[in-house]
């Protein structure tokens, strides 16, 4: 099904630069909002297939480039990057759109930001759609994966620039979709990239277990097998902690990328159900 797609922007106040620009894409229309958030250093375009599928089911979907990512501004100050700051950007997005509530979801970083959003602004969250959140069981693998990125960006910035120089000219339209997402992810500048990794590396990774147990909105949590940075154990733990959460195990680490039909169908059913009128209320209305 064809759906409308519109690119928009809004601005946040920044004590140093005056204001920071954030860019987003809207899919579809209506009052049944869904916000999708990308993984660390990745662009919002990674959620384009899911956004189109959700919008085709009648939902109003928005994908956002968080600060330091994609086509949004990229300050070089690590102090502006944190899970709480990212969640506040989602609140600002909803305010800008005039959306009272939304189903909030995302992948990896986006999943953790969604959890943070449910803690700092629970009245704005209709449900949570979480793919591979990063929690306790990912600590060691996260250090191994992102420590070298921080070191490289700080002390070997020419390698980051060289990778950008090589990958940026490749037309995205001639390569497979996920290859294009990989190329977009390589489009980094050393100082902002170091700032993003630094801010997240040494900040709060996610709400505490006590805070997660107090999240009562419906949630669908997807975990991946054989993924050390996003272990299924973390996803299962989150789903067990939250009283209205359901855990789904992906068949492979690439299922939602290579064969998305099953998980996309579950996501559509879940997001749609978050906006359904309860049966009891429907009976009273008739």
């Amino acid at each position: 099904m064809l759906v409308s797609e519109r690119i928009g922007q809004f601005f946040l106040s920044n004590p140093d630069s005056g204001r920071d620009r954030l860019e987003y894409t809207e899919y579809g229309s209506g009052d049944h909002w869904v916000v999708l958030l990308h993984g660390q250093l990745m662009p919002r375009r990674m959620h384009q297939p899911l956004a189109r599928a959700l919008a085709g089911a009648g939902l109003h979907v928005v994908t956002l480039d968080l600060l330091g990512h994609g086509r949004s501004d990229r300050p070089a100050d690590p102090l502006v990057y944190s899970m709480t700051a990212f969640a506040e950007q989602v609140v600002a997005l909803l305010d800008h759109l005039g959306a009272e509530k939304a189903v909030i979801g995302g992948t990896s970083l986006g999943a953790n930001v969604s959890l943070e959003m449910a803690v700092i602004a629970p009245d704005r969250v209709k449900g949570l759609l979480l793919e591979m959140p990063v929690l306790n069981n990912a600590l060691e693998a996260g250090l191994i994966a992102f420590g070298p990125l921080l070191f490289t960006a700080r002390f070997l910035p020419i390698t980051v620039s060289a990778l950008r120089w090589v990958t940026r000219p490749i037309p995205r339209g001639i390569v497979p979709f996920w290859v294009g997402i990989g190329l977009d992810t390589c489009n980094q500048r050393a100082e902002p990239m170091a700032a993003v990794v630094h801010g997240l590396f040494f900040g709060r990774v996610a709400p505490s277990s006590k805070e997660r147990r107090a999240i009562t909105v419906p949630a669908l949590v997807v975990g991946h097998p054989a993924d050390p940075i996003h272990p299924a154990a973390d996803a299962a733990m989150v789903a067990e902690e939250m009283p209205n959460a359901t855990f789904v195990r992906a068949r492979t680490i690439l299922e939602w990328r290579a064969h998305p039909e099953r998980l996309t169908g579950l996501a559509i059913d879940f997001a749609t159900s978050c906006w359904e009128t309860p049966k009891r209320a429907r009976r009273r209305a008739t």
Side-chain angles (χ1 to χ4, degrees):
M1 181 182 296
L2 295 176
V3 298
S4 62
E5 299 182 15
R6 304 170 298 281
I7 294 175
Q9 64 179 1
F10 65 100
F11 295 88
L12 297 175
S13 297
N14 185 319
D16 297 321
S17 63
R19 60 179 188 171
D20 291 319
R21 172 184 172 275
L22 280 78
E23 188 172 292
Y24 61 89
T25 302
E26 284 186 73
Y27 301 81
S29 60
D31 296 326
H32 295 174
W33 295 91
V34 179
V35 175
L36 297 178
L37 306 170
H38 51 76
Q40 186 169 347
L41 302 180
M42 301 183 76
R44 71 181 188 272
R45 195 167 72 92
M46 69 167 290
H47 281 310
Q48 184 183 79
L50 177 59
R52 287 175 171 172
L54 290 167
L59 297 160
H60 192 167
V61 187
V62 184
T63 59
L64 171 67
D65 278 334
L66 296 165
L67 198 65
H69 295 79
R71 296 177 62 87
S72 292
D73 283 351
R74 302 187 183 196
D77 181 2
L79 296 178
V80 304
Y81 299 111
S82 68
M83 291 297 170
T84 302
F86 285 149
E88 289 171 347
Q89 291 164 29
V90 180
V91 174
L93 171 67
L94 295 183
D95 290 342
H96 170 76
L97 295 169
E100 182 181 352
K101 292 188 176 187
V103 175
I104 311 294
T107 300
S108 187
L109 168 68
N112 286 40
V113 175
S114 300
L115 286 168
E116 191 75 20
M117 173 81 176
V119 170
I120 72 164
D123 57 323
R124 309 299 295 274
V125 179
K126 194 73 173 177
L128 293 171
L129 179 58
L130 311 175
E131 183 191 9
M132 53 186 189
V134 181
L135 299 170
N136 310 37
N137 295 293
L139 177 61
E140 293 82 1
L143 291 171
I144 293 171
F146 292 105
L149 284 181
L150 178 58
F151 179 90
T152 300
R154 288 285 191 216
F155 301 108
L156 297 170
I158 191 172
T159 60
V160 178
S161 300
L163 183 62
R164 179 173 181 263
W165 181 80
V166 169
T167 58
R168 192 177 183 186
I170 300 174
R172 302 308 190 249
I174 68 172
V175 298
F177 177 79
W178 286 107
V179 174
I181 296 302
L183 293 172
D184 288 346
T185 303
C186 293
N187 185 23
Q188 303 291 334
R189 295 175 177 83
E191 284 192 70
M193 174 180 159
V196 171
V197 177
H198 184 158
L200 297 177
F201 203 73
F202 295 102
R204 165 177 161 122
V205 174
S208 67
S209 178
K210 180 180 179 180
E211 290 172 315
R212 297 194 297 264
R213 292 179 187 277
I215 298 173
T216 59
V217 295
L220 181 67
V221 187
V222 179
H224 293 180
D227 183 349
I229 298 179
H230 313 95
D234 276 346
M237 177 177 66
V238 169
E240 186 172 343
E241 289 172 333
M242 296 189 296
N244 294 310
T246 300
F247 173 68
V248 174
R249 183 182 294 272
R251 293 179 181 132
T252 70
I253 192 174
L254 295 176
E255 181 184 358
W256 216 340
R257 315 284 96 85
H259 304 286
E261 297 80 11
R262 180 178 75 99
L263 295 176
T264 294
L266 291 173
I268 290 173
D269 291 344
F270 169 77
T272 301
S273 71
C274 289
W275 287 104
E276 287 179 348
T277 304
K279 293 180 179 179
R280 187 175 300 172
R282 284 201 299 266
R283 284 198 297 270
R284 285 199 300 266
T286 57

